[in-house]
Amino acid sequence: MKLLRTLAAALASSLVLGAGAAGAQPAFPAKPIRVIVPFAPGGATDQVARLLAAQVSSELGVPVVVENRPGANGNIGAEAVAQAAPDGYTLLHSTSALGFTAAFGQKVSYKLDKNLAPVSLLIDQPLLIMASNPLGVANVQELKAYAQKHPGKLNYGSSGTGNLTHLAMFVLLQAAGIEATHIPYKGGAGAFPDFIAGRLDLFADPINSAYPYVRDGRVKALVVTGKDRSHLLPDVPTASEAILPGFQMGAWQALMAPAGTPPEVIGRLNQAYVRALSDPKVTAQLAAQGAVPKATSPQEFQSFLQTEIERWKNVVQTSGIKLD
């Protein structure tokens, strides 16, 4: 009997100690957070990720460090986050490429609906369809005339096969009756040196990273893919005006975490990013890049993502584009 009482006391003591240890766990976040951007440094996604990371670091009181892991249309970075510990310290700042991977049924080592958890939609922005200066065209009409005189000579770059920039160019060139060879890159930043030098004739990229090149006269903007003309380039027509009536396409960016991340951690991250996106200085910097804040709840982002996947499945089925 005495032995039983001793064992019971020891068990109770261990439970108390265990509860105390659990209660002593530091509140999130207690160390630096790593945000993986699955595209090259300096590109459209990277620019927004670094802007928000700086503001979120202030919101959370810990460093928020951006790490670039480009390749495979964003899937190398997505796979790294899908396999990371679900503790909120490794996040994915990705793009509409997530939806395209699902829409194409691309074989990857993760499942979007099972291995990644939505945190928030972040921003949306149109693309610019551009021509290199050496090509010598100033608008869509001149591009069509050039294509007729030089059949099979045009090429266009993208941030990766099946990427939004690829699909936008494919659809619009097809609508304009222009043949061009596709040359995929691992992100917009890597394509611009070739584009400026004239080794690429045409290129599409989100307006935030493309605008400085147009503003400085290093490339020529032909159309913008938003519903309306951009306040940054009011003289540049929309794709709907110049090529394909009703056409509209935007690049979105979003934040995800490994599946299994505690809801309270997801909520804390969501809150920090929503606040960052409402900060006047951040909003002004995004507006200067042609981007619009689109903060959501995790549930709203999940619903949006499913709608996007179904939308692009239809585009994939009718476009004839296939991933290599």
Side-chain angles (χ1 to χ4, degrees):
M1 194 69 180
K2 182 177 180 181
L3 177 60
L4 289 176
R5 285 196 297 269
T6 302
L7 289 174
L11 177 59
S13 176
S14 67
L15 289 174
V16 169
L17 289 173
Q25 290 294 322
F28 178 87
K31 62 181 181 179
I33 294 171
R34 181 176 54 147
V35 177
I36 291 181
V37 173
F39 298 100
T45 311
D46 184 66
Q47 290 179 29
V48 175
R50 292 181 186 276
L51 171 63
L52 293 179
Q55 185 65 31
V56 170
S57 178
S58 298
E59 293 282 345
L60 294 177
V62 297
V64 178
V65 181
V66 172
E67 177 181 323
N68 298 89
R69 292 204 188 179
N73 197 27
N75 286 311
I76 290 177
E79 288 171 353
V81 176
Q83 296 166 7
D87 55 11
Y89 291 104
T90 302
L91 306 173
L92 177 67
H93 183 118
S94 193
T95 67
S96 42
L98 282 171
F100 300 145
T101 293
F104 273 97
Q106 189 176 0
K107 293 182 180 179
V108 291
S109 65
Y110 70 95
K111 291 186 177 180
L112 181 58
D113 59 343
K114 293 184 178 180
N115 301 125
L116 290 169
V119 178
S120 179
L121 188 63
L122 300 173
I123 61 107
D124 188 30
Q125 58 194 170
L127 305 179
L128 283 182
I129 307 297
M130 300 163 287
S132 69
N133 286 340
L135 188 63
V137 302
N139 52 53
V140 173
Q141 290 71 30
E142 292 182 8
L143 178 62
K144 289 180 179 180
Y146 181 95
Q148 290 175 352
K149 291 181 181 179
H150 305 87
K153 298 295 184 181
L154 287 171
N155 64 42
Y156 68 97
S158 77
S159 295
T161 301
N163 185 274
L164 176 71
T165 57
H166 178 200
L167 293 179
M169 289 296 298
F170 179 90
V171 172
L172 291 175
L173 288 173
Q174 191 174 63
I178 297 172
E179 293 184 11
T181 301
H182 175 227
I183 302 176
Y185 286 75
K186 290 185 178 180
F192 270 107
D194 284 347
F195 186 39
I196 292 169
R199 290 184 288 271
L200 278 179
D201 298 318
L202 304 167
F203 189 57
D205 207 42
I207 195 170
N208 68 329
S209 57
Y211 173 67
Y213 297 96
V214 175
R215 178 196 61 204
D216 297 343
R218 288 180 282 177
V219 298
K220 179 66 178 179
L222 301 180
V223 297
V224 62
T225 66
K227 179 182 178 182
D228 303 306
R229 296 190 181 197
S230 171
H231 70 277
L232 296 178
L233 298 164
D235 294 332
V236 175
T238 66
S240 179
E241 291 173 315
I243 301 176
L244 183 60
F247 182 89
Q248 180 184 346
M249 182 181 283
W252 52 263
Q253 297 179 26
L255 190 73
M256 302 196 83
T261 300
E264 60 273 18
V265 172
I266 294 285
R268 185 75 179 93
L269 290 167
N270 176 271
Q271 181 186 53
Y273 270 84
V274 169
R275 286 181 176 175
L277 285 163
S278 65
D279 182 271
K281 292 182 180 178
V282 171
T283 301
Q285 290 185 64
L286 290 174
Q289 299 175 15
V292 179
K294 292 286 184 180
T296 65
S297 69
Q299 295 76 19
E300 288 169 336
F301 173 39
Q302 180 65 42
S303 177
F304 170 85
L305 183 57
Q306 290 304 316
T307 300
E308 281 288 283
I309 290 171
E310 291 305 315
R311 173 192 178 194
W312 289 112
K313 278 183 180 179
N314 293 330
V315 173
V316 168
Q317 290 170 0
T318 58
S319 69
I321 293 177
K322 296 184 183 298
L323 295 182
D324 296 332

